Amino acid sequence: MTALTYTILTDPTSLEASVDGRLPSTGTVYLMVTNTRQTVPWLRIEVKVPVGDGAGHLTRDISTIKPRGEYTDTQSGPQAATQPVIVQPQGTDVFQVTTQSGRLEGFAPGDYMLLTLENVAVAPTAGVAVLTVTETTKTSRGWQTSHAAVPVVKAAPKEIPAPRDFRPDKAMLDAGENLTLSWDGSNDFSYEIRFPGGHAVIAPGTRTWAPADAPKRATTYILVATDPTTQKQHFLTTTVQVRYPVLETLTATSGIDTPWVQGTANKGRVTFTGTGAEIFSNSGGQGTVHADRADLNGVNAEWVQGRSADDGWISFPKEGLNVRKGAGQAWGTVFADKVDVNDVITNQVHGSGEGKGYIQFLDQDKGVRIFGGVSAGWIRGLNDDEAWIRFNEKGIWVLKNQNGKRESANVSCATVNDRHA
């Protein structure tokens, strides 16, 4: 039986066994030494730590442990006096505790000593590790060596807590604005961020990531956390919006509501009004629509011209339309196979082609002048009962209708000019 009393405490309360492939599970072991009887002269206390991978081992290596010890004298007055004791490793599995002086000292009743073993990398198998304490004290009969066993429980490892709070530093970005993503999660995971068109592997220990290129449109990022032991994966998503998105293509199945649409490099704009749409150029003035064909129910325009500046054009006054040519106001020409009109107002009419005859219309009641001759089978007045002239191989006949029969008619004229009479 030992002269002093030994109690084990741990932080966390339940040490968790390590798992290969993860960061080691670490904790702190406190060995509390108390005296409930008369003063005990003590020289040293040795704590043997079971080292190995099994259920009965506390750690694989004591060299990672940071030991320290303090003795508290509770009998020295209102304020308890605390002084350090010397704690040193002995070999590969023992820590030795001695007084500051290295000599025999009394351990008074009510005093206590706390041995702290920090940064214990817990062995990987769950179970109970028993620390063996060996104390060297002095009695009236001489030196005495006693032993005590103090257990430490190693709980089975828990599943790594899933990562959480995957978040952007800005939910809405302006064009070209940088983005940083952050999250909370265990160092035991390996992390990867996936996004449209690529992915990024996150450096160990890192909890933030910034894409090399700022997003151009609303983008969803996926955080993938992988357990290196079980390969179980956790997925978190976050989406950032871009105030003025750039889209490669857009398919809308039920319509798009927008006051206007504008180009990117060329800032032409279509604005939607209550009556339709207006086209504007880069400078904000009226723009131009280019198309191969337009199928319309109607066109309202001041004028219409061919593609080139010197092409013919048509303007639309209230009286009808004007056909012009070139960039000026000169009259143009209408080309057609046939013209079907109710009336023609013109100074003269030409035949088609060079050297053809033409008809000139004289002022007021002077009639017409024909250049190049007239060829006809017959000529008649406007009404069916008026006389007519018939042309045949012998000459001409002047005829009239008389009681339903054709009869010769009179010729009346003021002058006859016959070059061949």
Side-chain angles (χ1 to χ4, degrees), residues 70-362:
E70 294 177 330
Y71 181 90
T72 300
D73 178 5
T74 61
Q75 309 300 318
S76 60
Q79 299 294 329
T82 299
Q83 64 179 5
V85 294
I86 298 174
V87 182
Q88 291 180 323
Q90 299 292 312
T92 59
D93 60 354
V94 174
F95 289 101
Q96 184 183 84
V97 184
T98 59
T99 64
Q100 279 281 64
S101 64
R103 298 187 298 271
L104 188 69
E105 291 189 6
F107 200 123
D111 289 357
Y112 60 87
M113 182 168 59
L114 182 63
L115 173 63
T116 301
L117 302 178
E118 288 184 324
N119 197 40
V120 177
V122 184
T125 308
V128 177
V130 179
L131 279 63
T132 303
V133 178
T134 300
E135 65 177 23
T136 301
T137 60
K138 193 171 186 180
T139 66
S140 58
R141 293 188 296 273
W143 294 102
Q144 179 176 310
T145 300
S146 304
H147 304 280
V150 287
V152 178
V153 176
K154 299 181 297 174
K158 299 177 183 178
E159 183 177 348
I160 305 173
R164 63 193 182 279
D165 197 17
F166 185 39
R167 61 199 181 274
D169 60 341
K170 307 177 190 71
M172 177 69 73
L173 300 176
D174 289 323
E177 190 173 7
N178 292 329
L179 169 69
T180 299
L181 301 174
S182 305
W183 64 95
D184 300 324
S186 171
N187 286 333
D188 292 317
F189 285 123
S190 61
Y191 293 100
E192 176 188 14
I193 292 180
R194 300 175 185 175
F195 48 90
H199 71 284
V201 176
I202 307 303
T206 303
R207 296 294 177 276
T208 61
W209 176 77
D213 299 318
K216 297 180 179 179
R217 63 192 68 87
T219 302
T220 296
Y221 296 91
I222 303 173
L223 175 69
V224 183
T226 303
D227 187 317
T229 303
T230 65
Q231 298 302 306
K232 181 178 179 179
Q233 291 185 319
H234 301 271
F235 299 86
L236 294 176
T237 63
T238 190
T239 300
V240 295
Q241 304 292 330
V242 177
R243 198 178 308 278
Y244 301 108
V246 178
L247 303 176
E248 295 176 0
T249 61
L250 175 64
T251 301
T253 58
S254 59
I256 298 175
D257 292 334
T258 180
W260 51 266
V261 177
Q262 181 172 282
T264 52
N266 299 314
K267 301 295 184 179
R269 176 182 293 192
V270 180
T271 299
F272 301 95
T273 67
T275 57
E278 294 182 352
I279 310 297
F280 296 94
S281 65
N282 284 353
S283 61
Q286 292 292 318
T288 303
V289 177
H290 297 273
D292 180 58
R293 174 180 292 181
D295 185 352
L296 308 169
N297 291 330
V299 177
N300 290 356
E302 293 183 7
W303 52 270
V304 178
Q305 186 177 17
R307 291 183 180 275
S308 301
D310 59 350
D311 284 348
W313 55 283
I314 302 172
S315 63
F316 302 92
K318 292 183 178 180
E319 296 79 10
L321 62 84
N322 294 325
V323 179
R324 310 275 184 184
K325 62 182 179 180
Q329 296 290 325
W331 291 110
T333 303
V334 176
F335 298 91
D337 180 58
K338 183 182 290 187
V339 178
D340 184 356
V341 296
N342 293 327
D343 195 4
V344 176
I345 300 175
T346 181
N347 291 327
Q348 59 188 32
V349 178
H350 280 256
S352 178
E354 293 292 336
K356 297 296 181 69
Y358 62 93
I359 302 172
Q360 188 179 74
F361 296 90
L362 305 178

Side-chain angles (χ1 to χ4, degrees), residues 358-381:
Y358 62 93
I359 302 172
Q360 188 179 74
F361 296 90
L362 305 178
D363 294 339
Q364 297 180 356
D365 59 352
K366 293 182 180 180
V368 299
R369 180 178 295 157
I370 299 175
F371 296 85
V374 177
S375 297
W378 51 269
I379 300 174
R380 186 172 64 183

